[in-house]
């Protein structure tokens, strides 16, 4: 990508194609939000200061003769120039290219794909994909970044007009850190004003924990929001702080502010976003809590403060009881961290419980966005499992449009119902058309409807709820009693056994067994999982993960009151060699597979259906005498 020239001269680089596209999008689609350039630059400067500060905790020589960490902004109202300087960690020659010359390319193309044209949505995306620096090209036609890394004697200047290319050249710079400078473009001259800059800083960056000097005057409070008296903090302060720490552009769903004295001393603000960042569905992501000790920043994404299933929570924790020298290794083992963590998890769960009880609409919208994280918690967080199970919600045959809890189900269970029944399926229609549900519908037994693949793992993980076992209705071992009515016009025992034996011969290895069904009311047959085997949904997932996965065999259940089954029995008695008999049995089996979504090869099903239809129409024409 580069055209290298001799040392000490200017090197020219081309941006990747995607990058130019991105710059174009940012500068054009987010035009009405131009003021965020300042927030992004301050945020980067503050990160750079945090990094040098953190390194200095273990090596106090690092700060050298420039120990006062701060951000300086200079501007000239007449010349319309602007610069922002930090004495943070700085960037080397290669880091300049890597950090602001390229964007992690997978992220970029993903970003471009997701651009919607809706300004607010696109703003959110910018934050999430970390393309903040480039927002500066909304207000400037040409930008320079002068930087010297803390462990390099050489300094470099990066220059670009934000279109096709950028250049890098060596410069003299006697101190570590970074200066970004530019002249405001024609349309952005309003920003070259003390009032304007001050008000933007107040809005977005008041809580940056380093002083921000504006033409030598300090403008921000730089008091940590969490350390301030709750009564003095306005709703907007929390919202802006949330946007600042989470890179979000929308408001959070809720927040909690703690000031705890015992058993450990700490202050914390936690935020629940309105919706999860899509990247969060990746299980390997750390939780999003920033750790401070006595107001000093220690680390981002501190993973020991919350269990992984709570990785959608953003916030800060600042403790007096930890040592300033904590490192990643020591936070892990610290009993102080453990106590803080327990406290926060308890409070978060209590908040969810409060919504679930008192504000069901809020809980329903929370569940819609974050239900899968709660499910993950049920599966992985043993110490909170019981509480999380109470937070579980799903639909059911009795309540197809309103979420219910296991408690709701349990409370309206019939006195002699011994088990809690559930069924997994893609959607309500598929579930309600499944033969397996007939018995339950007829006997008015409620069945939980589970639409999510993760539910297949969660149900066995819950196991029993208040001593009632959770049972999938497609399990062979289900406890149901046969209805007398059904038995009345069923096939006789001998005929039934003869037919079942024949079906077993025809299907052979394809099925585990063929038995009489107690659960079917109308349908001719169904497939169920043998005892302790996986259900159809879970099998589908296994197949997705492992191409060679064979799957377990199903048990075929036959409804001997069904008139088609009775016809087959009559054909078997009168004309056992008739090929129609075999065709019908294979058709029944493949039809049942199709219904549960596990028929891999439909190539025989269709010609066989046509053959059977041919016979039926021949007979019909004969019967009406044509
Ligand atoms: P993000 O900050 O979300 O990573 P940016 O586009 O704003 O994305 O910045 C890209 C990278 O450039 C940063 O991650 C950081 O490594 C580097 N960078 C930007 N500004 C500075 C600065 N003032 N000092 C040191 N590094 C910086």
């Amino acid at each position: 990508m580069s055209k290298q020239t001799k040392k000490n001269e200017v090197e020219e680089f081309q941006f990747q194609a995607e990058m130019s596209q991105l710059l174009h999008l940012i500068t054009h689609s987010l035009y009405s939000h131009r003021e965020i350039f300042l927030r992004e630059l301050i945020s980067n400067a503050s990160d750079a200061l945090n990094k040098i500060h953190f390194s200095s905790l273990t090596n106090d020589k690092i700060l050298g003769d420039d120990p006062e960490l701060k951000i300086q902004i200079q501007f000239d109202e007449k010349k319309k120039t602007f610069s922002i300087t930090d004495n943070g960690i700085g960037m080397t020659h290669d880091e300049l290219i890597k950090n602001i010359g390229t964007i992690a390319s997978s992220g970029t193309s993903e970003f471009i794909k997701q651009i919607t044209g809706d300004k607010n949505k696109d703003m959110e995306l910018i934050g999430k994909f970390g393309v903040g620096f480039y927002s500066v090209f909304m207000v400037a036609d040409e930008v320079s970044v002068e930087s010297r890394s803390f462990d390099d004697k050489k300094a470099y200047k990066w220059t670009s007009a934000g279109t096709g290319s950028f250049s890098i050249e060596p410069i003299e710079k006697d101190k570590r850190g970074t200066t970004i400078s530019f002249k405001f473009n024609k349309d952005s001259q309003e920003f070259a004003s003390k009032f304007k800059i001050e008000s933007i800083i107040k809005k977005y960056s008041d809580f940056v924990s380093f002083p921000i000097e504006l033409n030598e005057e300090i403008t921000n409070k730089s008091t940590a929001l969490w350390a301030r008296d709750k009564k003095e903090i306005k709703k907007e302060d929390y919202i802006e702080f949330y946007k600042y720490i989470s890179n979000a552009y929308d408001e959070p769903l809720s927040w909690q502010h703690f000031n705890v004295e015992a058993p450990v001393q700490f202050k914390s603000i936690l935020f629940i976003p309105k919706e999860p960042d899509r990247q969060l569905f990746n299980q390997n992501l750390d939780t999003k809590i920033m750790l401070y000790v006595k107001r000093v920043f220690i680390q981002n994404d501190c993973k020991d403060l919350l269990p992984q299933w709570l990785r959608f929570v953003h916030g800060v924790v600042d403790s007096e009881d930890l040592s300033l020298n904590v490192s990643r290794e020591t936070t892990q083992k610290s009993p102080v961290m453990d106590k803080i963590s327990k406290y926060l998890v308890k409070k978060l769960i209590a908040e969810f419980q409060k919504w679930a009880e008192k504000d069901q609409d809020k809980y329903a919208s929370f569940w819609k966005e974050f239900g899968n994280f709660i499910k993950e918690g049920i599966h992985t967080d043993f110490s909170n499992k019981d509480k999380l199970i109470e937070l579980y919600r799903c639909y059911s045959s009795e309540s197809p449009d309103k979420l219910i809890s296991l408690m709701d189900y349990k409370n309206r269970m019939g006195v002699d119902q011994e088990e809690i029944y559930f069924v997994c399926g893609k959607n309500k229609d598929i579930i309600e058309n499944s033969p397996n549900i007939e018995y339950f519908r007829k006997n008015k037994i409620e069945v939980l409807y589970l639409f999510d693949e993760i539910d297949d793992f969660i149900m066995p993980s819950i196991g029993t709820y208040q001593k009632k076992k959770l049972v999938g209705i497609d399990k062979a071992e289900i406890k149901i009693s046969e209805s007398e009515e059904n038995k009345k016009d069923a096939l006789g025992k001998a005929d039934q056994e003869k037919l079942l034996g024949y079906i077993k011969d025809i299907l052979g290895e394809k099925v585990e067994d063929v038995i009489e069904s107690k659960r079917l009311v109308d349908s001719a047959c169904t497939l169920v999982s043998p005892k302790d085997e996986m259900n159809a949904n879970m099998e589908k997932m296994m197949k997705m993960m492992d191409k060679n996965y064979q799957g377990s065999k199903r048990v075929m259940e036959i409804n001997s009151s069904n008139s088609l089954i009775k016809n087959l029995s009559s054909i078997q008695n009168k004309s056992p060699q008739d090929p129609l008999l075999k065709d019908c049995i294979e058709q029944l089996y493949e039809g049942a597979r199709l219904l549960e979504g596990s028929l891999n090869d439909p190539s025989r099903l269709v010609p066989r259906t046509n053959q059977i239809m041919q016979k039926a129409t021949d007979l019909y024409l004969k019967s009406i005498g044509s």
Side-chain angles (χ1 to χ4, degrees):
M1 101 179 143
S2 76
K3 183 169 131 297
Q4 194 101 13
T5 49
K6 268 186 283 163
K7 250 199 150 121
N8 287 350
E9 280 180 21
V10 183
E11 296 169 89
E12 286 286 339
F13 297 84
Q14 292 300 317
F15 282 127
Q16 303 143 285
E18 274 178 340
M19 172 90 163
S20 305
Q21 212 177 336
L22 178 72
L23 287 167
H24 182 85
L25 276 166
I26 292 175
T27 45
H28 291 78
S29 69
L30 303 173
Y31 203 67
S32 52
H33 288 89
R34 277 172 301 162
E35 65 180 30
I36 59 145
F37 85 91
L38 187 53
R39 170 185 127 161
E40 298 301 326
L41 295 183
I42 291 176
S43 156
N44 283 346
S46 162
D47 283 350
L49 292 169
N50 273 330
K51 283 180 194 152
I52 195 82
H53 180 83
F54 186 65
S55 308
S56 75
L57 293 176
T58 43
N59 176 0
D60 51 14
K61 295 206 177 61
I62 273 185
L63 295 181
D65 58 359
D66 192 9
E68 243 178 79
L69 301 179
K70 63 181 173 189
I71 299 169
Q72 291 168 295
I73 293 176
Q74 299 277 344
F75 66 95
D76 188 315
E77 295 198 356
K78 289 210 188 70
K79 293 190 189 133
K80 313 290 179 202
T81 54
F82 175 96
S83 75
I84 175 168
T85 300
D86 65 72
N87 51 352
I89 195 138
M91 284 177 272
T92 60
H93 171 272
D94 292 354
E95 282 166 346
L96 276 169
I97 298 172
K98 185 168 142 272
N99 295 345
I100 54 176
T102 45
I103 315 181
S105 43
S106 59
T108 317
S109 46
E110 191 57 19
F111 175 86
I112 289 172
K113 262 191 243 138
Q114 289 192 31
I115 282 277
T116 58
D118 170 339
K119 293 205 171 80
N120 287 323
K121 286 236 164 69
D122 293 345
M123 296 282 288
E124 270 172 53
L125 282 174
I126 288 217
K128 282 178 187 159
F129 284 91
V131 288
F133 166 76
Y134 307 100
S135 60
V136 71
F137 287 107
M138 292 191 289
V139 295
D141 293 336
E142 191 176 77
V143 177
S144 77
V145 180
E146 295 170 314
S147 198
R148 187 177 138 185
S149 163
F150 75 107
D151 71 352
D152 196 354
K153 287 199 178 57
K154 292 196 200 112
Y156 296 89
K157 178 161 126 183
W158 178 103
T159 320
S160 175
T163 46
S165 65
F166 64 93
S167 66
I168 293 192
E169 64 189 292
I171 51 163
E172 291 299 318
K173 188 175 184 321
D174 56 354
K175 286 189 170 153
R176 78 163 185 266
T178 304
T179 298
I180 293 163
S181 31
F182 54 84
K183 196 168 162 197
F184 285 111
N185 62 22
K186 201 162 81 276
D187 299 335
S188 308
Q189 312 237 323
E190 75 210 67
F191 293 109
S193 121
K194 179 160 189 271
F195 173 77
K196 188 88 187 174
I197 293 180
E198 243 171 17
S199 64
I200 302 175
I201 292 176
K202 197 153 239 83
K203 182 162 165 202
Y204 295 115
S205 315
D206 221 16
F207 23 69
V208 168
S209 42
F210 302 97
I212 304 176
E213 290 177 7
L214 193 56
N215 285 356
E216 254 93 76
E217 254 173 70
I218 293 183
T219 59
N220 62 329
K221 289 210 185 82
S222 80
T223 45
L225 188 72
W226 56 93
R228 277 162 53 190
D229 185 352
K230 274 191 237 180
K231 283 187 229 111
E232 279 175 18
I233 307 178
K234 292 199 292 290
K235 187 176 162 221
E236 296 74 49
D237 296 334
Y238 284 114
I239 294 174
E240 284 313 325
F241 182 61
Y242 163 73
K243 291 180 178 174
Y244 173 73
I245 60 168
S246 69
N247 273 338
Y249 286 83
D250 58 346
E251 293 182 12
L253 182 67
S254 79
W255 58 85
Q256 291 173 282
H257 188 166
F258 308 105
N259 187 349
V260 180
E261 298 292 334
V264 278
Q265 247 192 38
F266 73 93
K267 296 183 167 69
S268 166
I269 305 180
L270 299 184
F271 295 94
I272 316 280
K274 282 211 180 101
E275 49 188 62
D277 186 337
R278 279 168 2 104
Q279 294 169 21
L280 286 179
F281 291 112
N282 176 348
Q283 286 217 344
N284 299 322
L285 281 182
D286 287 344
T287 47
K288 300 269 169 310
I289 305 299
M290 292 161 84
L291 177 66
Y292 284 73
V293 172
K294 303 183 183 80
R295 227 95 55 245
V296 172
F297 173 82
I298 304 295
Q299 67 181 88
N300 268 322
D301 302 352
C302 179
K303 62 166 179 277
D304 307 310
L305 281 167
L306 290 179
Q308 256 220 333
W309 67 271
L310 279 167
R311 61 189 175 280
F312 57 92
V313 178
H314 287 270
V316 288
V317 166
D318 185 353
S319 177
E320 303 284 321
D321 290 348
L322 285 165
S323 136
L324 268 175
N325 289 324
V326 286
S327 64
R328 264 177 207 272
E329 292 73 51
T330 55
T331 55
Q332 239 169 27
K333 297 183 209 97
S334 153
V336 174
M337 295 284 283
D338 201 41
K339 282 185 190 139
I340 299 177
S341 171
K342 285 218 169 73
Y343 183 95
L344 295 177
V345 175
K346 205 170 104 195
K347 290 291 180 183
L348 284 166
I349 294 179
E351 177 87 348
F352 306 153
Q353 284 166 336
K354 196 177 84 194
W355 298 339
E357 282 163 24
K358 304 217 167 89
D359 189 351
Q360 290 185 4
D361 287 346
K362 186 168 192 173
Y363 190 68
S365 64
F366 168 76
W367 178 260
K368 180 169 161 265
E369 299 295 343
F370 298 100
N372 278 355
F373 294 93
I374 305 279
K375 291 175 192 173
E376 188 184 320
I378 292 175
H379 199 58
T380 55
D381 187 349
F382 194 71
S383 55
N384 292 301
K385 184 172 169 181
D386 290 345
K387 286 187 197 158
L388 295 179
I389 288 174
E390 296 297 345
L391 289 170
Y392 183 86
R393 292 291 178 276
C394 62
Y395 297 100
S396 80
S397 50
E398 298 295 308
S399 179
D401 304 308
K402 188 169 175 281
L403 291 167
I404 63 162
S405 64
L406 292 177
M407 175 85 85
D408 295 333
Y409 182 103
K410 168 84 188 350
N411 287 346
R412 53 183 183 231
M413 247 165 100
V415 268
D416 31 279
Q417 187 181 329
E418 289 175 33
E419 294 169 331
I420 295 176
Y421 298 109
F422 68 85
V423 56
C424 303
K426 247 204 187 110
N427 59 44
K428 198 172 108 194
D429 281 351
I430 292 182
I431 287 179
E432 294 193 336
N433 285 318
S434 152
N436 289 347
I437 201 132
E438 289 171 2
Y439 171 87
F440 297 88
R441 185 160 40 224
K442 179 153 187 223
N443 292 286
K444 300 207 165 42
I445 300 171
E446 185 168 12
V447 178
L448 301 175
Y449 288 179
L450 312 180
F451 302 131
D452 223 315
E453 277 167 354
I454 182 175
D455 289 312
D456 280 330
F457 292 101
I458 296 311
M459 289 297 128
S461 190
I462 298 178
T464 55
Y465 177 76
Q466 296 197 0
K467 305 211 179 90
K468 303 285 181 186
K469 193 165 174 212
L470 283 96
V471 183
I473 62 166
D474 61 351
K475 285 276 186 202
E477 53 182 325
I478 204 158
K479 288 184 191 155
I480 44 183
S481 51
E482 200 173 0
S483 86
E484 289 305 315
E485 191 187 322
N486 259 22
K487 266 194 238 164
K488 255 194 319 207
D489 52 14
L491 283 178
K493 201 94 206 130
D495 281 345
Q496 187 187 309
E497 264 164 32
K498 200 166 138 202
L499 183 65
L500 294 181
Y502 183 73
I503 298 175
K504 230 180 285 186
D505 285 347
I506 298 287
L507 297 178
E509 285 299 298
K510 290 183 196 146
V511 288
E512 177 76 28
D513 202 359
V514 180
I515 59 171
E516 190 209 351
S517 179
K518 288 181 183 168
R519 76 184 78 208
L520 292 174
V521 179
D522 301 318
S523 302
C525 70
T526 188
L527 295 170
V528 298
S529 336
K531 204 165 173 271
D532 298 329
E533 290 289 344
M534 295 180 217
N535 62 32
N537 238 12
M538 210 141 158
E539 296 240 324
K540 257 184 274 164
M541 271 183 76
M542 295 296 287
K543 268 189 205 137
M544 259 161 26
M545 292 189 282
D546 175 5
K547 289 224 167 57
N548 299 320
Y549 180 74
Q550 289 297 319
S552 63
K553 286 185 204 164
R554 294 259 176 276
V555 173
M556 188 169 187
E557 289 193 357
I558 302 293
N559 178 3
S560 55
S561 315
N562 174 278
S563 54
L564 171 58
I565 297 295
K566 287 195 280 191
N567 281 355
L568 295 183
S569 170
S570 301
I571 299 177
Q572 188 189 17
N573 285 334
K574 291 185 185 129
S575 164
Q577 300 308 321
D578 196 318
L580 180 65
L581 191 57
K582 184 168 173 275
D583 279 351
C584 285
I585 288 167
E586 284 179 342
Q587 192 71 10
L588 280 173
Y589 171 76
E590 291 200 347
R593 277 260 177 215
L594 189 66
L595 212 56
E596 68 162 30
S598 66
L599 182 69
N600 293 335
D601 175 11
S603 65
R604 295 178 52 224
L605 182 99
V606 176
R608 200 190 302 111
T609 314
N610 293 349
Q611 246 168 47
I612 296 172
M613 284 196 291
Q614 179 73 51
K615 272 188 192 155
T617 46
D618 283 351
L619 280 174
Y620 176 73
L621 287 174
K622 225 183 256 169
S623 77
I624 57 169
S626 64

